[in-house]
Amino acid sequence: AQSVTQPDIHITVSEGASLELRCNYSYGATPYLFWYVQSPGQGLQLLLKYFSGDTLVQGIKGFEAEFKRSQSSFNLRKPSVHWSDAAEYFCAVVIDSNYQLIWGAGTKLIIKP
Amino acid sequence: DVKVTQSSRYLVKRTGEKVFLECVQDMDHENMFWYRQDPGLGLRLIYFSYDVKMKEKGDIPEGYSVSREKKERFSLILESASTNQTSMYLCASSGDRGFRETQYFGPGTRLLVL
């Protein structure tokens, strides 16, 4: 069965440091790829998405993600985190064969002052 | 801005009660979704609807039903609430490409079943 793996349940980063959140999926073809963020007390919001074209995608709030077909990965990055980035981040993948959206379990980002 | 609203932020119900969770979107979206979110499990799809009066089961439909009588409104019904349905419930909507579109989420309803 297709799956999406976010290997880190929690990540702690100092404010101002760089961030990389990992996402791997199991599927042969190129899927549609999404990163969503859930800030405390708020609904999920799309950060960025990849369907085709340039494999480096820019999103909102200074985030970017890179699709690497050879590694079946779509890792999320930010060069310098802010305290307001503390949230839970979800990777999601649409498999073209049945157009279902498969979600990762999420990574909770904690920011150290 | 797309707005998805959910009828309650917090709800406490007793085992066996019938529970209605309502969701309204204001963007004329064709597709609407109900998920439950549990720690460590991510989001799991309960039901979705691609048109008025149309519905499809998701990954975990057991114990739930849905209703979509109007395009903007999608209701989730727990026919007889049980303690294992204590969870966060999220509603979302998207445009006509379904799962391939950006989903817009409501703030969620945290349901406690005693």
Side-chain angles (χ1 to χ4, degrees):
Chain A
Q2 289 84 15
S3 64
V4 177
T5 302
Q6 293 181 247
D8 303 303
I9 299 171
H10 297 99
I11 279 191
T12 300
V13 176
S14 296
E15 191 168 14
S18 64
L19 170 71
E20 183 169 34
L21 301 182
R22 295 181 289 165
C23 174
N24 293 92
Y25 62 90
S26 64
Y27 181 60
T30 301
Y32 295 78
L33 300 156
F34 302 82
W35 274 101
Y36 284 84
V37 60
Q38 186 177 34
S39 299
Q42 297 188 22
L44 278 86
Q45 179 185 21
L46 180 74
L47 278 176
L48 47 78
K49 59 188 177 185
Y50 172 79
F51 291 166
S52 64
D54 191 344
T55 56
L56 185 62
V57 181
Q58 301 299 318
I60 63 170
K61 308 185 183 199
F63 285 91
E64 65 177 26
E66 186 170 13
F67 169 57
K68 291 186 177 179
R69 185 191 309 274
S70 60
Q71 298 176 20
S72 297
S73 70
F74 189 54
N75 293 348
L76 183 71
R77 301 194 294 245
K78 187 170 185 178
S80 175
V81 297
H82 186 261
W83 64 267
S84 60
D85 294 324
E88 192 159 18
Y89 292 80
F90 292 91
C91 180
V93 171
V94 174
I95 305 298
D96 237 9
S97 57
N98 61 8
Y99 300 118
Q100 292 284 317
L101 185 62
I102 303 171
W103 293 82
T107 297
K108 189 163 281 191
L109 175 63
I110 300 160
I111 306 295
K112 281 194 305 187
Chain B
D1 267 0
V2 176
K3 193 154 186 188
V4 179
T5 56
Q6 295 184 229
S7 50
S8 306
R9 293 297 299 269
Y10 301 94
L11 215 49
V12 180
K13 296 291 181 182
R14 298 216 172 268
T15 302
E17 280 193 75
K18 192 167 186 174
V19 182
F20 293 87
L21 303 181
E22 292 219 311
C23 175
V24 178
Q25 51 96 1
D26 66 357
M27 278 302 292
D28 202 35
H29 280 164
E30 286 77 10
N31 297 280
M32 297 188 73
F33 310 85
W34 274 107
Y35 293 93
R36 65 177 280 176
Q37 180 182 12
D38 299 289
L41 297 179
L43 276 69
R44 292 180 292 168
L45 182 66
I46 304 171
Y47 270 96
F48 67 99
S49 169
Y50 54 89
D51 201 351
V52 175
K53 297 192 187 294
M54 305 305 288
K55 61 186 179 186
E56 292 283 346
K57 292 180 180 178
D59 300 317
I60 52 163
E62 296 78 20
Y64 303 94
S65 62
V66 290
S67 172
R68 192 163 180 205
E69 296 296 319
K70 294 185 177 181
K71 190 174 186 179
E72 68 270 19
R73 190 178 299 269
F74 192 35
S75 301
L76 179 70
I77 303 146
L78 287 65
E79 296 288 342
S80 176
S82 64
T83 54
N84 62 12
Q85 292 178 309
T86 290
S87 187
M88 170 73 91
Y89 290 88
L90 299 175
C91 175
S93 71
S94 73
D96 60 6
R97 295 184 72 216
F99 289 100
R100 292 170 289 174
E101 293 262 12
T102 299
Q103 294 194 13
Y104 297 87
F105 285 84
T109 296
R110 194 169 289 281
L111 173 67
L112 173 62
V113 182
L114 299 173

